[in-house]
Amino acid sequence: RGLLVSLKPGTMMPYNAQATLHSYDALWGLLLPCSVSGRVTDIWRSYFTQRLLWDVGMRIAFASPWVTQFRNAHKLLGDFDAEIPLYQQAGALAEALAAWKPTSTSLPGRLEELYICMYEFGILELSDVQLAQAWIFDLLGVGYRFPPLFSRRKGGVRQAQPGKSELPPK
């Protein structure tokens, strides 16, 4: 109990949408792709979010469980069938994300660029690119402040500071 493990930048581990916490500066990473199975969507999102967290000097951490899950009855073989893309594509996806060299100079731009890349890679459909564009538009529309990009040359990981984020350049 009380264990906390933080992954260094460049390291990825899938996580799902159950019992997760996100800081204000990582709110942008809550978007779930809509063109893939419900058994896959949160796992793909975890990879996308982790990759972009590196660009803002943040990372994920895993803690000891604080909830108990009571499973509903369901067909395990159906779950397996819905998860086949995970087993077939996760390794190549993680490698592609680690090698990805974004060109945008803002986090909203990189989020859009990543979704386009995932569409071109065959992981997502065009509807997810459009959803990501709408998500970015809506976040900016309600005044969400995306965190600034972090220079890797400086090294280290920045500490999340609520209210200290900056809007991307226009």
Side-chain angles (χ1 to χ4, degrees):
R1 289 226 165 264
L3 180 65
L4 181 65
V5 176
S6 178
L7 302 181
K8 66 181 181 177
T11 306
M12 289 189 171
M13 179 175 285
Y15 60 89
N16 63 25
Q18 300 168 357
T20 60
L21 300 174
H22 293 78
S23 70
Y24 175 88
D25 282 346
L27 177 72
W28 52 267
L30 290 175
L31 178 64
L32 288 166
C34 63
S35 68
V36 296
S37 156
R39 304 285 303 177
V40 174
T41 187
D42 54 350
I43 305 301
W44 279 175
R45 180 204 40 201
S46 76
Y47 284 112
F48 304 164
T49 300
Q50 286 175 80
R51 174 56 188 83
L52 289 169
L53 284 172
W54 304 343
D55 291 351
V56 294
M58 297 176 70
R59 55 187 170 178
I60 65 166
F62 294 89
S64 299
W66 68 88
V67 297
T68 301
Q69 181 182 34
F70 298 100
R71 299 293 306 210
N72 58 340
H74 61 286
K75 296 182 179 181
L76 296 178
L77 190 54
D79 290 350
F80 175 78
D81 287 341
E83 293 170 354
I84 286 176
L86 296 175
Y87 310 128
Q88 294 177 332
Q89 297 173 310
L93 173 63
E95 288 176 11
L97 289 170
W100 180 56
K101 304 286 186 224
T103 59
S104 180
T105 59
S106 70
L107 182 56
R110 287 190 182 182
L111 179 58
E112 179 183 29
E113 190 178 335
L114 185 138
Y115 269 74
I116 291 169
C117 179
M118 292 300 99
Y119 167 69
E120 292 171 347
F121 197 63
I123 296 290
L124 300 176
E125 298 294 329
L126 182 59
S127 60
D128 285 310
V129 173
Q130 295 164 334
L131 180 64
Q133 291 167 332
W135 173 243
I136 293 164
F137 179 82
D138 287 346
L139 286 174
L140 291 170
V142 298
Y144 177 72
R145 299 175 69 83
F146 284 85
L149 296 178
F150 183 79
S151 171
R152 289 192 184 166
R153 286 182 289 247
K154 295 178 186 175
V157 173
R158 76 177 183 89
Q159 296 294 316
Q161 298 176 359
K164 299 291 184 187
S165 299
E166 299 174 6
L167 287 172
K170 290 189 177 187

